[in-house]
Amino acid sequence: METAVIKTPIGYAEFKGDEQGLAAVKVLDTATVTVIPTVLQEAANQVLAYFEGSRTTFDLKLNPQGTAFQKKVWQALLKIPYGTTTSYLELSKTLGDVKAIRAVAAANGKNPLWIVVPCHRVIGSNGELTGYAGGLSRKKWLLDHESPVKQGKLF
């Protein structure tokens, strides 16, 4: 398993993966930027393009480790379009079991592929931001970054 670290506007992104695919992307508060192994170069390029605003989807071979249910939830997350949000309740309904809301939320929280599998696009049913492994300030930043309406400066 290869590892690389890049700097992003909201912290450092650490990538882990190999020829089987990208296994993990997580955000760190502090880290040392590393040389990017060939196997992780495309993932790093696509994440940087996302932050530059020139990429709204990812086209990467993914290999996250998790249970069958977690992988089902992560697949559902991939279907949430850029610039939109859904609730844990709606995600549960999409997966066919409204009563699985807590299990869906737990699987969402275990998502090992930060940004690439967009768990930040899931919010509370009341529209409030809820838990995010990278912190709510990062979740808000990501949602603002993806917002089709950009707030301009007044002065």
Side-chain angles (χ1 to χ4, degrees):
M1 186 80 51
E2 301 279 349
T3 302
V5 175
I6 62 170
K7 184 162 179 38
T8 76
I10 56 174
Y12 294 87
E14 179 186 72
F15 299 84
K16 290 186 185 245
D18 55 26
E19 294 79 21
Q20 302 302 313
L22 188 62
V25 180
K26 67 181 178 180
V27 63
L28 307 169
D29 290 324
T30 61
T32 301
V33 173
T34 63
V35 173
I36 302 169
T38 303
V39 72
L40 296 173
Q41 188 66 57
E42 186 59 24
N45 289 344
Q46 288 189 29
V47 168
L48 287 171
Y50 165 86
F51 280 111
E52 291 168 357
S54 61
R55 177 170 282 279
T56 60
T57 61
F58 296 96
D59 182 22
L60 299 166
K61 184 177 180 182
L62 305 179
N63 188 27
Q65 301 304 302
T67 67
F69 181 76
Q70 287 171 334
K71 289 179 181 182
K72 183 178 174 182
V73 172
W74 302 336
Q75 282 297 314
L77 294 174
L78 289 169
K79 295 176 183 165
I80 305 169
Y82 180 93
T84 66
T85 58
T86 192
S87 69
Y88 292 100
L89 178 61
E90 287 303 314
L91 193 56
S92 298
K93 288 178 183 176
T94 298
L95 292 166
D97 187 357
V98 70
K99 294 179 182 177
I101 189 168
R102 288 195 173 141
V104 167
N108 191 62
K110 297 282 186 184
N111 171 23
L113 291 165
W114 173 72
I115 294 182
V116 175
V117 175
C119 56
H120 61 277
R121 295 179 189 153
V122 183
I123 60 174
S125 295
N126 61 1
E128 289 186 17
L129 298 185
T130 56
Y132 183 62
L136 290 181
S137 63
R138 286 188 177 113
K139 184 172 188 166
K140 182 179 181 333
W141 192 98
L142 292 167
L143 293 174
D144 288 347
H145 175 69
E146 294 183 4
S147 175
V149 178
K150 302 294 183 197
Q151 177 66 40
K153 293 194 182 235
L154 297 176
F155 302 99

